[in-house]
Amino acid sequence: MLVDNLLQHAQQKCQQAGGRFTDKRRNILDNLIKAKQPLSAYDLTELYNQSNAPKIQPMSVYRILDFFIEMELVHKLPTLNKYVVCSHLACKHNHQDQYFVICKACGSAQEVTMNAQLTQELSESASTVGFQITDAQFELFGLCKGCADKTNI
Ligand SMILES: [Zn+2]
Ligand SMILES: [Zn+2]
Ligand SMILES: [Zn+2]
């Protein structure tokens, strides 16, 4: 899907939720959509400042990213302290639980829908030690298809 289409969907989602889609927000999201790999807030600050004046501060980028996370347009990868655009940016359905598979060779990250049964089993398993899971965040490391194919040649 074209970047412009994705931005349009993002704008709609923001506006439906009563949030403004400012030029700064649009620009940050645009850079994250175009990125081949997860980016940190500092990467995004640098990208923004390369082509915009006045410059933006990292603190503002963090705030913008928090807004996008709240809107479910962006996800944070806590292990890497980096961000990726939600792969369901243009979808109409409710966002389900997700996990990420991250390639150790090329650094790409892909969002995978967590099946409800697995979430349920994890909750039951954690409850055996009296624990209640509130935030299930998973990042699994391995090789993406492209990199696995290369190593198999
Ligand atoms: Zn998502
Ligand atoms: Zn979807
Ligand atoms: Zn890879």
Side-chain angles (χ1 to χ4, degrees), residues 66-126:
D66 283 344
F67 168 78
F68 284 142
I69 289 169
E70 208 177 304
M71 295 282 124
E72 287 185 329
L73 300 173
V74 165
H75 296 294
K76 185 178 182 180
L77 304 172
T79 314
L80 306 174
N81 204 15
K82 289 181 177 179
Y83 301 82
V84 288
V85 164
C86 178
S87 62
H88 301 282
L89 210 57
C91 296
K92 292 256 182 275
H93 61 81
N94 285 334
H95 200 286
Q96 290 167 285
D97 289 342
Q98 81 287 338
Y99 65 93
F100 286 90
V101 289
I102 299 163
C103 180
K104 287 195 286 190
C106 70
S108 67
Q110 291 175 84
E111 181 172 350
V112 188
T113 299
M114 181 91 150
N115 91 37
Q117 198 186 336
L118 196 54
T119 315
Q120 178 67 26
E121 278 172 24
L122 279 165
S123 289
E124 281 170 20
S125 162

Short mmCIF file of all heavy atoms in Angstrom, two decimals, residues 66-126:
data_model
loop_
_atom_site.label_atom_id
_atom_site.label_comp_id
_atom_site.label_asym_id
_atom_site.label_seq_id
_atom_site.Cartn_x
_atom_site.Cartn_y
_atom_site.Cartn_z
N ASP A 66 4.32 8.47 21.82
CA ASP A 66 3.35 8.03 22.84
C ASP A 66 1.92 8.21 22.33
O ASP A 66 1.07 7.35 22.56
CB ASP A 66 3.53 8.83 24.14
CG ASP A 66 4.72 8.34 24.94
OD1 ASP A 66 5.20 7.23 24.67
OD2 ASP A 66 5.17 9.08 25.84
N PHE A 67 1.70 9.32 21.66
CA PHE A 67 0.38 9.57 21.07
C PHE A 67 0.03 8.49 20.05
O PHE A 67 -1.07 7.91 20.07
CB PHE A 67 0.36 10.97 20.42
CG PHE A 67 -0.84 11.23 19.56
CD1 PHE A 67 -2.06 11.54 20.12
CD2 PHE A 67 -0.74 11.16 18.16
CE1 PHE A 67 -3.17 11.78 19.31
CE2 PHE A 67 -1.84 11.40 17.36
CZ PHE A 67 -3.06 11.71 17.93
N PHE A 68 0.97 8.17 19.18
CA PHE A 68 0.73 7.14 18.16
C PHE A 68 0.51 5.76 18.78
O PHE A 68 -0.30 4.97 18.29
CB PHE A 68 1.89 7.08 17.16
CG PHE A 68 1.89 8.21 16.17
CD1 PHE A 68 3.08 8.78 15.75
CD2 PHE A 68 0.71 8.68 15.63
CE1 PHE A 68 3.08 9.82 14.83
CE2 PHE A 68 0.70 9.71 14.70
CZ PHE A 68 1.89 10.29 14.30
N ILE A 69 1.23 5.47 19.86
CA ILE A 69 1.05 4.18 20.54
C ILE A 69 -0.37 4.10 21.10
O ILE A 69 -1.05 3.08 20.97
CB ILE A 69 2.11 4.00 21.65
CG1 ILE A 69 3.49 3.78 21.01
CG2 ILE A 69 1.75 2.83 22.57
CD1 ILE A 69 4.65 3.85 21.97
N GLU A 70 -0.80 5.21 21.70
CA GLU A 70 -2.15 5.27 22.25
C GLU A 70 -3.19 5.06 21.15
O GLU A 70 -4.24 4.44 21.36
CB GLU A 70 -2.34 6.63 22.90
CG GLU A 70 -3.34 6.65 24.02
CD GLU A 70 -3.39 8.03 24.64
OE1 GLU A 70 -2.33 8.54 25.07
OE2 GLU A 70 -4.48 8.60 24.66
N MET A 71 -2.92 5.59 19.97
CA MET A 71 -3.82 5.47 18.82
C MET A 71 -3.69 4.10 18.15
O MET A 71 -4.35 3.82 17.15
CB MET A 71 -3.50 6.54 17.77
CG MET A 71 -3.75 7.96 18.18
SD MET A 71 -5.50 8.38 18.13
CE MET A 71 -5.73 8.93 19.78
N GLU A 72 -2.77 3.27 18.64
CA GLU A 72 -2.46 1.96 18.05
C GLU A 72 -2.02 2.08 16.59
O GLU A 72 -2.36 1.26 15.75
CB GLU A 72 -3.65 1.01 18.17
CG GLU A 72 -3.83 0.53 19.61
CD GLU A 72 -4.92 -0.51 19.76
OE1 GLU A 72 -5.90 -0.47 18.99
OE2 GLU A 72 -4.78 -1.38 20.64
N LEU A 73 -1.27 3.13 16.31
CA LEU A 73 -0.70 3.29 14.96
C LEU A 73 0.76 2.85 14.96
O LEU A 73 1.34 2.55 13.92
CB LEU A 73 -0.78 4.75 14.52
CG LEU A 73 -2.19 5.35 14.44
CD1 LEU A 73 -2.11 6.84 14.15
CD2 LEU A 73 -3.01 4.65 13.37
N VAL A 74 1.35 2.85 16.15
CA VAL A 74 2.77 2.52 16.29
C VAL A 74 2.91 1.58 17.48
O VAL A 74 2.15 1.67 18.45
CB VAL A 74 3.59 3.83 16.51
CG1 VAL A 74 4.99 3.53 17.03
CG2 VAL A 74 3.67 4.64 15.23
N HIS A 75 3.89 0.68 17.40
CA HIS A 75 4.21 -0.18 18.54
C HIS A 75 5.64 0.07 18.98
O HIS A 75 6.50 0.39 18.16
CB HIS A 75 4.08 -1.66 18.17
CG HIS A 75 2.69 -2.06 17.80
ND1 HIS A 75 1.64 -2.04 18.70
CD2 HIS A 75 2.18 -2.48 16.63
CE1 HIS A 75 0.55 -2.45 18.09
NE2 HIS A 75 0.83 -2.71 16.83
N LYS A 76 5.86 -0.10 20.28
CA LYS A 76 7.22 0.02 20.80
C LYS A 76 7.79 -1.38 21.00
O LYS A 76 7.07 -2.29 21.41
CB LYS A 76 7.19 0.76 22.14
CG LYS A 76 8.58 1.03 22.67
CD LYS A 76 8.53 1.82 23.96
CE LYS A 76 9.97 2.11 24.40
NZ LYS A 76 10.01 2.87 25.64
N LEU A 77 9.05 -1.53 20.67
CA LEU A 77 9.75 -2.79 20.93
C LEU A 77 10.66 -2.55 22.13
O LEU A 77 11.75 -2.00 21.98
CB LEU A 77 10.57 -3.21 19.71
CG LEU A 77 9.78 -3.35 18.40
CD1 LEU A 77 10.72 -3.58 17.22
CD2 LEU A 77 8.77 -4.48 18.50
N PRO A 78 10.20 -2.94 23.33
CA PRO A 78 10.94 -2.57 24.55
C PRO A 78 12.37 -3.08 24.58
O PRO A 78 13.26 -2.39 25.06
CB PRO A 78 10.11 -3.20 25.68
CG PRO A 78 8.77 -3.43 25.09
CD PRO A 78 8.99 -3.69 23.64
N THR A 79 12.60 -4.29 24.07
CA THR A 79 13.95 -4.85 24.14
C THR A 79 14.95 -3.99 23.36
O THR A 79 16.09 -3.80 23.78
CB THR A 79 13.96 -6.28 23.56
OG1 THR A 79 12.87 -6.99 24.10
CG2 THR A 79 15.25 -7.01 23.87
N LEU A 80 14.50 -3.49 22.21
CA LEU A 80 15.38 -2.69 21.36
C LEU A 80 15.26 -1.20 21.67
O LEU A 80 16.09 -0.42 21.22
CB LEU A 80 15.04 -2.91 19.88
CG LEU A 80 15.02 -4.34 19.34
CD1 LEU A 80 14.52 -4.34 17.90
CD2 LEU A 80 16.42 -4.95 19.40
N ASN A 81 14.21 -0.83 22.42
CA ASN A 81 13.88 0.58 22.64
C ASN A 81 13.69 1.31 21.31
O ASN A 81 14.20 2.41 21.11
CB ASN A 81 14.95 1.25 23.50
CG ASN A 81 14.41 2.47 24.22
OD1 ASN A 81 13.18 2.65 24.30
ND2 ASN A 81 15.29 3.31 24.71
N LYS A 82 12.99 0.64 20.40
CA LYS A 82 12.72 1.21 19.09
C LYS A 82 11.24 1.07 18.75
O LYS A 82 10.51 0.39 19.46
CB LYS A 82 13.59 0.51 18.03
CG LYS A 82 15.05 0.87 18.15
CD LYS A 82 15.88 0.21 17.08
CE LYS A 82 17.33 0.69 17.21
NZ LYS A 82 18.21 0.06 16.23
N TYR A 83 10.87 1.69 17.65
CA TYR A 83 9.46 1.77 17.29
C TYR A 83 9.21 1.25 15.87
O TYR A 83 10.07 1.39 15.00
CB TYR A 83 8.98 3.22 17.37
CG TYR A 83 9.14 3.80 18.75
CD1 TYR A 83 10.37 4.32 19.17
CD2 TYR A 83 8.09 3.81 19.65
CE1 TYR A 83 10.54 4.84 20.45
CE2 TYR A 83 8.24 4.32 20.93
CZ TYR A 83 9.47 4.84 21.32
OH TYR A 83 9.63 5.34 22.58
N VAL A 84 8.04 0.67 15.67
CA VAL A 84 7.61 0.26 14.32
C VAL A 84 6.16 0.70 14.10
O VAL A 84 5.40 0.85 15.05
CB VAL A 84 7.66 -1.28 14.12
CG1 VAL A 84 9.09 -1.77 14.01
CG2 VAL A 84 6.91 -2.01 15.22
N VAL A 85 5.83 0.88 12.82
CA VAL A 85 4.46 1.22 12.47
C VAL A 85 3.62 -0.05 12.57
O VAL A 85 4.08 -1.14 12.20
CB VAL A 85 4.42 1.77 11.03
CG1 VAL A 85 3.02 1.78 10.47
CG2 VAL A 85 4.99 3.19 11.02
N CYS A 86 2.41 0.06 13.09
CA CYS A 86 1.51 -1.09 13.18
C CYS A 86 1.21 -1.59 11.77
O CYS A 86 0.95 -0.81 10.86
CB CYS A 86 0.22 -0.68 13.87
SG CYS A 86 -0.97 -2.04 13.96
N SER A 87 1.25 -2.90 11.59
CA SER A 87 1.01 -3.45 10.26
C SER A 87 -0.48 -3.43 9.90
O SER A 87 -0.86 -3.78 8.80
CB SER A 87 1.58 -4.87 10.15
OG SER A 87 0.93 -5.70 11.06
N HIS A 88 -1.31 -3.02 10.87
CA HIS A 88 -2.76 -2.94 10.60
C HIS A 88 -3.22 -1.48 10.47
O HIS A 88 -4.37 -1.17 10.74
CB HIS A 88 -3.55 -3.62 11.72
CG HIS A 88 -3.20 -5.06 11.89
ND1 HIS A 88 -3.68 -6.04 11.05
CD2 HIS A 88 -2.38 -5.67 12.76
CE1 HIS A 88 -3.18 -7.20 11.43
NE2 HIS A 88 -2.38 -7.01 12.45
N LEU A 89 -2.29 -0.64 10.04
CA LEU A 89 -2.56 0.80 9.93
C LEU A 89 -3.82 1.09 9.11
O LEU A 89 -4.58 1.98 9.43
CB LEU A 89 -1.35 1.47 9.26
CG LEU A 89 -1.06 2.92 9.61
CD1 LEU A 89 -0.87 3.07 11.11
CD2 LEU A 89 0.18 3.39 8.88
N ALA A 90 -4.01 0.31 8.06
CA ALA A 90 -5.13 0.59 7.15
C ALA A 90 -6.32 -0.33 7.39
O ALA A 90 -7.28 -0.33 6.63
CB ALA A 90 -4.65 0.47 5.71
N CYS A 91 -6.26 -1.14 8.46
CA CYS A 91 -7.34 -2.11 8.72
C CYS A 91 -8.49 -1.47 9.49
O CYS A 91 -8.29 -0.53 10.26
CB CYS A 91 -6.82 -3.29 9.52
SG CYS A 91 -5.59 -4.25 8.66
N LYS A 92 -9.67 -2.03 9.31
CA LYS A 92 -10.85 -1.52 10.02
C LYS A 92 -11.11 -2.31 11.31
O LYS A 92 -11.78 -1.84 12.20
CB LYS A 92 -12.09 -1.62 9.11
CG LYS A 92 -12.02 -0.66 7.93
CD LYS A 92 -12.92 0.56 8.14
CE LYS A 92 -12.91 1.49 6.96
NZ LYS A 92 -11.79 2.45 7.00
N HIS A 93 -10.61 -3.53 11.37
CA HIS A 93 -10.93 -4.39 12.52
C HIS A 93 -10.25 -3.90 13.80
O HIS A 93 -9.28 -3.15 13.75
CB HIS A 93 -10.53 -5.84 12.23
CG HIS A 93 -9.06 -6.00 11.96
ND1 HIS A 93 -8.13 -6.09 12.97
CD2 HIS A 93 -8.37 -6.09 10.80
CE1 HIS A 93 -6.93 -6.23 12.44
NE2 HIS A 93 -7.04 -6.23 11.12
N ASN A 94 -10.74 -4.36 14.94
CA ASN A 94 -10.11 -4.03 16.22
C ASN A 94 -8.73 -4.66 16.29
O ASN A 94 -8.52 -5.76 15.79
CB ASN A 94 -10.96 -4.55 17.38
CG ASN A 94 -12.18 -3.69 17.60
OD1 ASN A 94 -12.20 -2.50 17.26
ND2 ASN A 94 -13.23 -4.29 18.15
N HIS A 95 -7.83 -3.95 16.93
CA HIS A 95 -6.47 -4.48 17.05
C HIS A 95 -6.44 -5.61 18.08
O HIS A 95 -6.93 -5.48 19.18
CB HIS A 95 -5.52 -3.38 17.47
CG HIS A 95 -4.10 -3.70 17.16
ND1 HIS A 95 -3.39 -4.60 17.89
CD2 HIS A 95 -3.28 -3.27 16.17
CE1 HIS A 95 -2.17 -4.69 17.38
NE2 HIS A 95 -2.08 -3.90 16.33
N GLN A 96 -5.84 -6.75 17.67
CA GLN A 96 -5.71 -7.87 18.60
C GLN A 96 -4.32 -7.84 19.23
O GLN A 96 -3.47 -7.05 18.82
CB GLN A 96 -5.93 -9.18 17.85
CG GLN A 96 -7.36 -9.38 17.42
CD GLN A 96 -7.47 -10.52 16.44
OE1 GLN A 96 -7.11 -10.40 15.28
NE2 GLN A 96 -7.98 -11.64 16.92
N ASP A 97 -4.09 -8.73 20.19
CA ASP A 97 -2.75 -8.82 20.77
C ASP A 97 -1.77 -9.21 19.69
O ASP A 97 -2.10 -9.94 18.76
CB ASP A 97 -2.73 -9.87 21.89
CG ASP A 97 -3.47 -9.39 23.13
OD1 ASP A 97 -3.69 -8.16 23.23
OD2 ASP A 97 -3.84 -10.23 23.95
N GLN A 98 -0.56 -8.73 19.83
CA GLN A 98 0.44 -9.01 18.81
C GLN A 98 1.77 -9.36 19.46
O GLN A 98 1.98 -9.08 20.64
CB GLN A 98 0.63 -7.81 17.88
CG GLN A 98 1.54 -6.70 18.39
CD GLN A 98 0.90 -5.87 19.49
OE1 GLN A 98 -0.30 -5.83 19.63
NE2 GLN A 98 1.73 -5.23 20.29
N TYR A 99 2.62 -9.99 18.70
CA TYR A 99 4.01 -10.11 19.13
C TYR A 99 4.88 -9.79 17.92
O TYR A 99 4.37 -9.62 16.81
CB TYR A 99 4.30 -11.49 19.73
CG TYR A 99 4.20 -12.66 18.79
CD1 TYR A 99 5.32 -13.14 18.11
CD2 TYR A 99 2.99 -13.32 18.61
CE1 TYR A 99 5.23 -14.24 17.27
CE2 TYR A 99 2.89 -14.41 17.78
CZ TYR A 99 4.01 -14.87 17.10
OH TYR A 99 3.92 -15.95 16.27
N PHE A 100 6.18 -9.68 18.18
CA PHE A 100 7.08 -9.30 17.08
C PHE A 100 8.17 -10.34 16.89
O PHE A 100 8.68 -10.90 17.85
CB PHE A 100 7.72 -7.94 17.38
CG PHE A 100 6.73 -6.83 17.19
CD1 PHE A 100 5.94 -6.41 18.24
CD2 PHE A 100 6.55 -6.25 15.95
CE1 PHE A 100 4.98 -5.42 18.05
CE2 PHE A 100 5.60 -5.26 15.75
CZ PHE A 100 4.82 -4.85 16.80
N VAL A 101 8.45 -10.61 15.63
CA VAL A 101 9.60 -11.44 15.30
C VAL A 101 10.65 -10.52 14.69
O VAL A 101 10.36 -9.73 13.79
CB VAL A 101 9.23 -12.60 14.36
CG1 VAL A 101 8.40 -13.64 15.11
CG2 VAL A 101 8.46 -12.13 13.13
N ILE A 102 11.85 -10.57 15.25
CA ILE A 102 12.91 -9.65 14.87
C ILE A 102 14.09 -10.44 14.31
O ILE A 102 14.56 -11.40 14.93
CB ILE A 102 13.36 -8.82 16.09
CG1 ILE A 102 12.16 -8.00 16.60
CG2 ILE A 102 14.52 -7.89 15.73
CD1 ILE A 102 12.34 -7.46 18.00
N CYS A 103 14.53 -10.05 13.12
CA CYS A 103 15.61 -10.78 12.46
C CYS A 103 16.97 -10.33 13.01
O CYS A 103 17.27 -9.14 13.03
CB CYS A 103 15.54 -10.56 10.95
SG CYS A 103 16.85 -11.42 10.07
N LYS A 104 17.75 -11.31 13.43
CA LYS A 104 19.06 -10.99 14.01
C LYS A 104 20.05 -10.59 12.93
O LYS A 104 21.06 -9.95 13.20
CB LYS A 104 19.61 -12.22 14.77
CG LYS A 104 18.91 -12.46 16.08
CD LYS A 104 19.69 -13.40 16.95
CE LYS A 104 19.59 -14.84 16.42
NZ LYS A 104 20.15 -15.82 17.37
N ALA A 105 19.77 -10.99 11.68
CA ALA A 105 20.72 -10.69 10.60
C ALA A 105 20.49 -9.30 10.01
O ALA A 105 21.44 -8.53 9.85
CB ALA A 105 20.63 -11.76 9.52
N CYS A 106 19.25 -8.97 9.67
CA CYS A 106 19.01 -7.69 8.99
C CYS A 106 18.30 -6.67 9.87
O CYS A 106 18.17 -5.51 9.49
CB CYS A 106 18.21 -7.91 7.70
SG CYS A 106 16.50 -8.39 7.97
N GLY A 107 17.85 -7.08 11.04
CA GLY A 107 17.24 -6.12 11.97
C GLY A 107 15.79 -5.78 11.69
O GLY A 107 15.20 -4.95 12.37
N SER A 108 15.19 -6.43 10.67
CA SER A 108 13.79 -6.13 10.37
C SER A 108 12.89 -6.73 11.45
O SER A 108 13.25 -7.73 12.08
CB SER A 108 13.42 -6.68 9.00
OG SER A 108 13.44 -8.09 9.03
N ALA A 109 11.72 -6.11 11.64
CA ALA A 109 10.76 -6.62 12.63
C ALA A 109 9.42 -6.80 11.95
O ALA A 109 9.02 -5.97 11.14
CB ALA A 109 10.63 -5.65 13.79
N GLN A 110 8.73 -7.89 12.26
CA GLN A 110 7.40 -8.11 11.70
C GLN A 110 6.40 -8.36 12.81
O GLN A 110 6.71 -9.04 13.79
CB GLN A 110 7.41 -9.31 10.75
CG GLN A 110 8.19 -9.05 9.47
CD GLN A 110 8.27 -10.32 8.63
OE1 GLN A 110 7.37 -10.63 7.89
NE2 GLN A 110 9.36 -11.04 8.77
N GLU A 111 5.22 -7.80 12.62
CA GLU A 111 4.14 -7.95 13.60
C GLU A 111 3.34 -9.21 13.29
O GLU A 111 2.97 -9.44 12.15
CB GLU A 111 3.25 -6.71 13.54
CG GLU A 111 2.11 -6.72 14.53
CD GLU A 111 1.38 -5.38 14.56
OE1 GLU A 111 1.87 -4.40 13.95
OE2 GLU A 111 0.31 -5.34 15.17
N VAL A 112 3.10 -10.02 14.31
CA VAL A 112 2.32 -11.24 14.14
C VAL A 112 1.16 -11.21 15.13
O VAL A 112 1.35 -10.84 16.29
CB VAL A 112 3.17 -12.51 14.40
CG1 VAL A 112 2.39 -13.77 14.03
CG2 VAL A 112 4.49 -12.46 13.67
N THR A 113 -0.01 -11.59 14.67
CA THR A 113 -1.17 -11.62 15.58
C THR A 113 -1.04 -12.80 16.52
O THR A 113 -0.76 -13.92 16.11
CB THR A 113 -2.48 -11.71 14.78
OG1 THR A 113 -2.57 -10.56 13.95
CG2 THR A 113 -3.69 -11.75 15.70
N MET A 114 -1.23 -12.52 17.79
CA MET A 114 -1.14 -13.54 18.83
C MET A 114 -2.48 -14.25 18.89
O MET A 114 -3.51 -13.58 19.06
CB MET A 114 -0.89 -12.80 20.15
CG MET A 114 -0.75 -13.69 21.32
SD MET A 114 0.99 -14.08 21.48
CE MET A 114 1.06 -14.30 23.23
N ASN A 115 -2.49 -15.57 18.76
CA ASN A 115 -3.82 -16.19 18.82
C ASN A 115 -4.33 -16.25 20.25
O ASN A 115 -3.58 -16.39 21.21
CB ASN A 115 -3.89 -17.49 18.01
CG ASN A 115 -3.57 -18.73 18.77
OD1 ASN A 115 -3.92 -18.86 19.94
ND2 ASN A 115 -2.90 -19.65 18.12
N ALA A 116 -5.64 -16.06 20.37
CA ALA A 116 -6.26 -15.87 21.68
C ALA A 116 -6.02 -17.05 22.61
O ALA A 116 -5.88 -16.89 23.82
CB ALA A 116 -7.75 -15.63 21.51
N GLN A 117 -5.92 -18.24 22.02
CA GLN A 117 -5.72 -19.44 22.82
C GLN A 117 -4.36 -19.41 23.52
O GLN A 117 -4.21 -19.80 24.68
CB GLN A 117 -5.81 -20.66 21.91
CG GLN A 117 -6.04 -21.96 22.65
CD GLN A 117 -5.98 -23.14 21.69
OE1 GLN A 117 -6.22 -22.97 20.49
NE2 GLN A 117 -5.65 -24.31 22.20
N LEU A 118 -3.37 -18.91 22.80
CA LEU A 118 -2.02 -18.81 23.35
C LEU A 118 -1.99 -17.82 24.52
O LEU A 118 -1.39 -18.09 25.56
CB LEU A 118 -1.06 -18.38 22.24
CG LEU A 118 0.43 -18.55 22.46
CD1 LEU A 118 0.79 -19.97 22.85
CD2 LEU A 118 1.19 -18.17 21.19
N THR A 119 -2.65 -16.69 24.34
CA THR A 119 -2.73 -15.69 25.40
C THR A 119 -3.39 -16.30 26.64
O THR A 119 -2.93 -16.11 27.76
CB THR A 119 -3.58 -14.48 24.94
OG1 THR A 119 -3.18 -14.12 23.62
CG2 THR A 119 -3.40 -13.30 25.85
N GLN A 120 -4.46 -17.06 26.39
CA GLN A 120 -5.21 -17.72 27.46
C GLN A 120 -4.31 -18.71 28.21
O GLN A 120 -4.27 -18.73 29.44
CB GLN A 120 -6.42 -18.44 26.84
CG GLN A 120 -7.28 -19.22 27.81
CD GLN A 120 -8.02 -18.32 28.78
OE1 GLN A 120 -8.26 -17.15 28.46
NE2 GLN A 120 -8.32 -18.84 29.96
N GLU A 121 -3.57 -19.50 27.44
CA GLU A 121 -2.69 -20.50 28.06
C GLU A 121 -1.60 -19.85 28.90
O GLU A 121 -1.24 -20.33 29.97
CB GLU A 121 -2.07 -21.40 26.99
CG GLU A 121 -3.01 -22.52 26.57
CD GLU A 121 -2.51 -23.32 25.38
OE1 GLU A 121 -1.29 -23.34 25.15
OE2 GLU A 121 -3.35 -23.91 24.68
N LEU A 122 -1.08 -18.72 28.41
CA LEU A 122 -0.05 -18.01 29.17
C LEU A 122 -0.63 -17.46 30.48
O LEU A 122 0.02 -17.54 31.52
CB LEU A 122 0.51 -16.87 28.33
CG LEU A 122 1.58 -17.27 27.33
CD1 LEU A 122 1.81 -16.17 26.32
CD2 LEU A 122 2.88 -17.61 28.04
N SER A 123 -1.84 -16.93 30.39
CA SER A 123 -2.50 -16.41 31.60
C SER A 123 -2.67 -17.50 32.63
O SER A 123 -2.40 -17.31 33.81
CB SER A 123 -3.87 -15.84 31.26
OG SER A 123 -3.73 -14.66 30.54
N GLU A 124 -3.14 -18.68 32.16
CA GLU A 124 -3.34 -19.81 33.06
C GLU A 124 -2.03 -20.26 33.67
O GLU A 124 -1.93 -20.54 34.86
CB GLU A 124 -4.01 -20.96 32.30
CG GLU A 124 -5.52 -20.74 32.14
CD GLU A 124 -6.14 -21.74 31.18
OE1 GLU A 124 -5.53 -22.80 30.94
OE2 GLU A 124 -7.25 -21.43 30.66
N SER A 125 -1.01 -20.31 32.84
CA SER A 125 0.30 -20.74 33.30
C SER A 125 0.85 -19.77 34.34
O SER A 125 1.38 -20.19 35.38
CB SER A 125 1.21 -20.86 32.08
OG SER A 125 2.54 -20.85 32.44
N ALA A 126 0.72 -18.46 34.09
CA ALA A 126 1.22 -17.46 35.05
C ALA A 126 0.42 -17.51 36.35
O ALA A 126 0.97 -17.26 37.43
CB ALA A 126 1.15 -16.07 34.44
#
